Amino acid sequence: QVQLVESGGGLVPPGGSLRLSCAASGTIFRLIAMGWYRQGPGQQRELVASISNEGITYVVGSVKGRFSISRDTAKNTVYLQMNSLKLEDTAVYYCFADQSGRTWGQGTQVTVSS
């Protein structure tokens, strides 16, 4: 069983930056991939970024150039660096980890507002 603990959300003005962290613990054999989804008000959950165990990354087009994902394999932790935040980035951000199945974090709120 894998558990995920997220941190780093909060309130930030437009143009600001935040870094989200997600630490995995529990019974970890080999995490195939980790990453982040988000769900804005009245919207469906969407994939924001992911990183494989080999370090291959994916970032959705709407945040490319502003967000980046990285991973500390030794710490089983994934990071989402968010720069130049926009109002439309406001959402609950959910971490996920894939091993034998998918585990979800509890979500962390990111609010971009002036």
Side-chain angles (χ1 to χ4, degrees), residues 13-31:
S17 298
L18 282 175
R19 189 176 83 151
L20 305 183
S21 300
C22 174
S25 62
T27 306
I28 297 173
F29 300 106
R30 181 174 176 270
L31 294 173

Side-chain angles (χ1 to χ4, degrees), residues 15-87:
S17 298
L18 282 175
R19 189 176 83 151
L20 305 183
S21 300
C22 174
S25 62
T27 306
I28 297 173
F29 300 106
R30 181 174 176 270
L31 294 173
I32 300 168
M34 297 182 73
W36 299 87
Y37 278 71
R38 69 183 179 184
Q39 187 166 18
Q43 298 179 359
Q44 291 191 337
R45 191 175 293 193
E46 65 167 349
L47 175 63
V48 178
S50 65
I51 183 166
S52 73
N53 193 52
E54 293 76 25
I56 299 170
T57 61
Y58 166 83
V59 178
V60 71
S62 59
V63 306
K64 197 168 289 186
R66 301 188 295 121
F67 291 13
S68 62
I69 188 168
S70 61
R71 180 173 173 176
D72 185 331
T73 304
K75 295 182 179 180
N76 292 314
T77 299
V78 64
Y79 305 96
L80 184 68
Q81 179 66 44
M82 306 185 293
N83 300 325
S84 303
L85 282 159
K86 302 177 180 181
L87 298 177

